[in-house]
């Protein structure tokens, strides 16, 4: 059974930092392209950052320079370090594991709220 379990979300003040984690099980983690998506209330789910199985990364323009995605294939875990957070970063953050363009697994999400 495939599981992607996100953690690390919470309430943080503007300018603060958070590190999200996604623990994967039931997949050969190193074979998957991993990504973080987010969905704010009333908005569509959007890509935040992606890391391929070869370690190539891609970021949304809105988070470039503030976020860093990484993966630890020995721990089957994906990370997202987020710095200098703003209220616009408030959303549910989801972990995604994809081995093709047509099939992916999703986690249940972790809430990030940026507010003073």
């Amino acid at each position: 059974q495939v599981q992607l379990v996100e953690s690390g979300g919470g309430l943080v003040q503007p300018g603060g930092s958070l590190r999200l984690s996604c623990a994967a099980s039931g997949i050969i983690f190193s074979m998957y392209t991993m990504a973080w998506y987010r969905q704010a209330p009333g908005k569509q789910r959007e890509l935040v950052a992606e890391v391929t199985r070869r370690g190539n990364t891609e970021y949304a323009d809105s988070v470039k320079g503030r976020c860093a995605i990484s993966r630890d294939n020995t721990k089957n875990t994906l990370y997202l370090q987020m710095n200098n957070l703003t209220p616009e970063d408030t959303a549910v953050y989801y972990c995604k594991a994809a081995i093709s363009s047509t099939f992916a697994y999703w986690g249940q999400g972790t809430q990030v709220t940026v507010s003073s």
Side-chain angles (χ1 to χ4, degrees):
Q1 182 180 0
V2 177
Q3 281 193 311
L4 300 175
V5 180
E6 301 97 335
S7 62
L11 174 64
V12 62
Q13 292 187 340
S17 298
L18 281 176
R19 189 195 196 200
L20 306 183
S21 299
C22 171
S25 59
I27 60 172
I28 303 175
F29 182 78
S30 61
M31 296 294 292
Y32 282 72
T33 290
M34 301 298 298
W36 288 100
Y37 281 72
R38 67 186 180 186
Q39 187 166 18
K43 295 187 177 181
Q44 289 189 328
R45 192 173 296 190
E46 62 176 3
L47 174 69
V48 177
E50 176 183 276
V51 56
T52 69
R53 61 180 184 173
R54 295 182 179 179
N56 297 319
T57 58
E58 178 182 337
Y59 294 92
D61 288 343
S62 59
V63 304
K64 281 181 181 177
R66 300 190 297 119
C67 291
I69 189 171
S70 61
R71 63 190 298 163
D72 186 338
N73 290 341
T74 66
K75 297 181 178 180
N76 290 353
T77 302
L78 176 72
Y79 302 99
L80 183 69
Q81 177 68 44
M82 301 190 294
N83 301 318
N84 194 22
L85 287 161
T86 74
E88 288 68 39
D89 295 312
T90 295
V92 178
Y93 284 70
Y94 296 92
C95 173
K96 174 187 172 184
I99 201 165
S100 74
S101 61
T102 57
F103 185 80
Y105 298 104
W106 292 88
Q108 292 299 306
T110 185
Q111 176 71 46
V112 171
T113 302
V114 184
S115 175
S116 55

